[in-house]
Amino acid sequence: MDVFGLIGSPVEHSVSPQMHEAAYETLEMDARYVTLEPAEDALGPAVDGASALGVDGLNVTIPFKESVLPLVEPDPLAERIGAVNTVDLSGEPTGHNTDAAGVTRAFEHHDVSPSGTAVVVGAGGAGRAAAFALADAGADVRIANRTVPRAEALAEAVSGADAHGLDALEELLADADLLVNATSVGMESDETPVPAAALHGDLAVLDAVYTPLETRLLREAAAAGATTIDGAWMLLFQGVEAFELWTGRSAPVEAMNRALRAAL
Ligand code: NAP
């Protein structure tokens, strides 16, 4: 039996088990997906132990996405982002960041090219993944964050990117093609980091927030005529990418999407 899992804290509300097990069932794989919650100072022994026990791959979530880096051989993208959300344990542990592909594949799935001018709001983990992913896909990236020095530090690392405060959003979005909300604003609340007046019909808007699925940002974006993409699409495609990396097989995207949305 193949064993995959999620390591983080807390993990009990994760919907990754349902999403991945739907893939195993669809492809008739003898595999399980488990959730693991080690103590914060026990990440090293936990990764070593999982590897020794024959676990094939791990997703990594808060609070371990950065601290797992020195425990694995990161690929160049994960190293640039500075965070790992997927570990391949089939040999020496390697670290990957599939949140980045989660962003680009979510756009592509909606027939939106991840290119043109992209505004990324947020400069934390999701913001870093989105900014590198979109710049690598050829977009001209503008980063806006509440804490401007954090946006500046990220813009320095991302080719061609520039940094702004949230007060510049209206101006930044006027001629933009893509918008990603990579802040936690809107999570479990009816707030938005983007003024409604800045939204327009030529935008495709991806909200990384997936609780609720229809955030205020997406509601206002739809009202402005924009293409809207909810956070479950990013979550889906980071999982699809991890599945494909671990197994070398094409993921059953529709089955994973159905299971994910039923579990959210
Ligand atoms: P993080 O590293 O803690 O970063 C949080 C970001 O939100 C920072 O840019 C922070 O700005 C900003 N922020 C927080 N409160 C704010 C406020 N009141 N006003 C303006 N900005 C605020 O978190 P993360 O891991 O990047 O996650 C961000 C969101 O993305 C979460 O909702 C998470 O669930 C979601 N996410 C979704 C996926 C997916 O697959 N859909 C994947 C990863 C993350 P400062 O720098 O100024 O603090």
Side-chain angles (χ1 to χ4, degrees), residues 188-205:
E188 316 285 1
S189 81
D190 200 42
E191 292 166 296
T192 173
V194 182
L199 301 166
H200 56 78
D202 294 331
L203 271 176
V205 182

Side-chain angles (χ1 to χ4, degrees), residues 178-193:
L178 309 176
L179 166 63
V180 179
N181 173 35
T183 73
S184 47
V185 179
M187 197 163 79
E188 316 285 1
S189 81
D190 200 42
E191 292 166 296
T192 173

